[in-house]
Amino acid sequence: FFTIRLSRQALVKSVEKSPITFNLKGEGTEESPYLINSYQDWKEATTKVRGAYYFKITNDIDFNGKNYYALGSTMNYFNGVLDGNNKKIYNITMSGTESSGIIGYNNSGTIKNLNVENVTINGYNNMGVIGYNQSGTMIDMNLKNIKVTGNNNTGSLVGYLNGGLVQEIKIENITTKGNDNTGGIIGN
């Protein structure tokens, strides 16, 4: 497996020398969701995005000066439930190419009750807090101080929306820049 350094260099690691562990509290069910309490918990959660698991954020999480790991990507999409529990994740700076965002690729998953602040996302296509949304649900989210720059399909909330439900979204102080299909909330 590999991790990314702050200098944006990939660091290849051996699972024998650095085993991947998953130690989040909870069972990943609706009744007992995996609990995300810290940056390290978030990083662990990103290793288990498929499987329709339930996650719940239990504390505000500051990503200032830390590598950001997206919850879901084109190759490893998110299809569970992320309950932000009205907590905030903030001070996130990230770059990507395709379908990049806090949730890179949401495939029928649900993101709810989440506050997102002070985020800068730069990339190419399908850029937003949720890069690509395939029939997913976003309910009761607050976005503040969001800057998204991309080429095609760029939006503050979703870069590319292919079905799904968007409801009760509050935005404040957003900037989106792109070429084709660029919007304040949804790019395409």
Side-chain angles (χ1 to χ4, degrees), residues 52-151:
Y53 297 111
Y54 286 74
F55 297 89
K56 185 175 188 177
I57 298 175
T58 58
N59 203 11
D60 291 345
I61 302 174
D62 185 355
F63 289 88
N64 190 35
K66 298 179 175 115
N67 288 326
Y68 183 76
Y69 295 86
L71 195 64
S73 66
T74 305
M75 299 299 290
N76 194 26
Y77 56 80
F78 179 74
N79 69 343
V81 174
L82 175 63
D83 182 354
N85 194 30
N86 297 312
K87 303 298 181 194
K88 75 177 172 182
I89 57 176
Y90 60 107
N91 296 330
I92 298 168
T93 300
M94 63 180 300
S95 296
T97 54
E98 297 286 327
S99 301
S100 293
I102 293 180
I103 307 331
Y105 194 108
N106 180 26
N107 187 357
S108 302
T110 298
I111 296 95
K112 62 182 182 177
N113 309 319
L114 181 62
N115 299 308
V116 181
E117 292 185 18
N118 305 329
V119 174
T120 301
I121 301 170
N122 296 300
Y124 195 66
N125 293 329
N126 309 327
M127 309 303 293
V129 168
I130 298 166
Y132 190 100
N133 186 75
Q134 174 70 44
S135 303
T137 300
M138 293 141 288
I139 299 175
D140 192 21
M141 294 177 64
N142 296 305
L143 309 180
K144 183 177 180 181
N145 302 327
I146 309 293
K147 295 178 185 175
V148 182
T149 303
N151 184 39

Side-chain angles (χ1 to χ4, degrees), residues 15-46:
V15 292
E16 289 180 9
K17 293 179 182 177
S18 302
I20 297 173
T21 58
F22 190 83
N23 297 312
L24 292 183
K25 293 178 182 174
E27 300 296 321
T29 65
E30 185 174 9
E31 299 78 24
S32 178
Y34 290 126
L35 302 179
I36 301 172
N37 188 52
S38 65
Y39 168 77
Q40 186 60 39
D41 289 349
W42 179 273
K43 188 175 173 182
E44 281 188 44
T46 65

Side-chain angles (χ1 to χ4, degrees), residues 131-136 138 158-166 186-188:
Y132 190 100
N133 186 75
Q134 174 70 44
S135 303
M138 293 141 288
V158 181
Y160 192 97
L161 178 67
N162 190 7
L165 175 67
V166 177
I186 297 170
N188 185 10

